[in-house]
Amino acid sequence: DFGARGGQTSELPATRTMSSTNGASRVEEVKDNVSHICMWCGVTVVGVFITYAAALPNSCWEDNACTDLHGGGFEKMHKLAVIGLSVAFVMEISGMVLTFRSAQGLVGVVRNLEYTFIPPLLLCMTFVMLIVENIMLLNMSFVHVAADGVGGKHGRPVYSAITIEWLLNGPIL
């Protein structure tokens, strides 16, 4: 009996957790954390659009030197990346959904079970951003020309989509 030792109660730890903490409030806390992450991503994207509107960079397809340096091999690479990342995303999201469905009855019993779904959710967000980045890089209008004196060579391709992806995925990872 737990009560005989040092004033501890006879309640099991899992039962004590259930009675002292509401499972619904923990779910709300997880939802709040995810909403903060989504809000941060939204603010970052708005900041990127404001910066883009202020800089107005030239597209790579407008410059022959940039088009020559960018080459044609990138299109196939980005298509394959979109396919591979999409497969990984579907696998991760399906695993997360199946795990969530099977754990529905245990949310109030197992302590902090809701927090185990945050890493797969963040990974899915990362996959979505990488898919969007590679789709953007398929279109030459998202590849920009470096200004004179940047990188030592006029017409050098600048992959702005990669910088945006780093701004979003870096803190998530």
Side-chain angles (χ1 to χ4, degrees):
D1 183 54
F2 286 108
R5 290 184 247 145
Q8 294 176 349
T9 64
S10 61
E11 240 180 88
L12 293 174
T15 313
R16 187 171 48 242
T17 302
M18 279 180 49
S19 63
S20 65
T21 314
N22 185 3
S25 66
R26 290 195 320 245
V27 171
E28 291 301 318
E29 183 181 339
V30 170
K31 287 180 181 178
D32 287 342
N33 289 337
V34 171
S35 70
H36 290 314
I37 292 169
C38 292
M39 184 172 42
W40 171 79
C41 287
V43 168
T44 303
V45 168
V46 168
V48 165
F49 282 122
I50 290 171
T51 305
Y52 181 83
L56 289 174
N58 294 331
S59 292
C60 187
W61 60 268
E62 296 173 354
D63 190 283
N64 290 335
C66 183
T67 306
D68 292 342
L69 286 172
H70 184 65
F74 285 101
E75 185 176 324
K76 184 176 181 179
M77 179 183 71
H78 292 300
K79 284 180 183 177
L80 292 173
V82 168
I83 292 168
L85 288 166
S86 298
V87 169
F89 172 74
V90 168
M91 289 175 57
E92 188 66 32
I93 197 86
S94 62
M96 184 178 68
V97 167
L98 290 173
T99 303
F100 181 75
R101 284 186 180 176
S102 65
Q104 278 296 91
L106 299 173
V107 169
V109 178
V110 178
R111 189 177 192 177
N112 297 328
L113 180 65
E114 303 86 19
Y115 294 107
T116 62
F117 299 108
I118 292 177
L121 180 65
L122 293 175
L123 187 59
C124 288
M125 289 174 65
T126 301
F127 282 144
V128 167
M129 286 183 234
L130 287 169
I131 291 168
V132 169
E133 171 201 355
N134 279 286
I135 290 172
M136 288 173 64
L137 289 174
L138 280 170
N139 186 354
M140 283 286 282
S141 61
F142 287 104
V143 179
H144 302 107
V145 181
D148 289 333
V150 176
K153 187 173 186 180
H154 172 71
R156 179 177 160 256
V158 176
Y159 303 100
S160 304
I162 294 173
T163 305
I164 296 167
E165 181 260 324
W166 287 346
L167 285 172
L168 295 171
N169 276 340
I172 287 175
L173 295 174

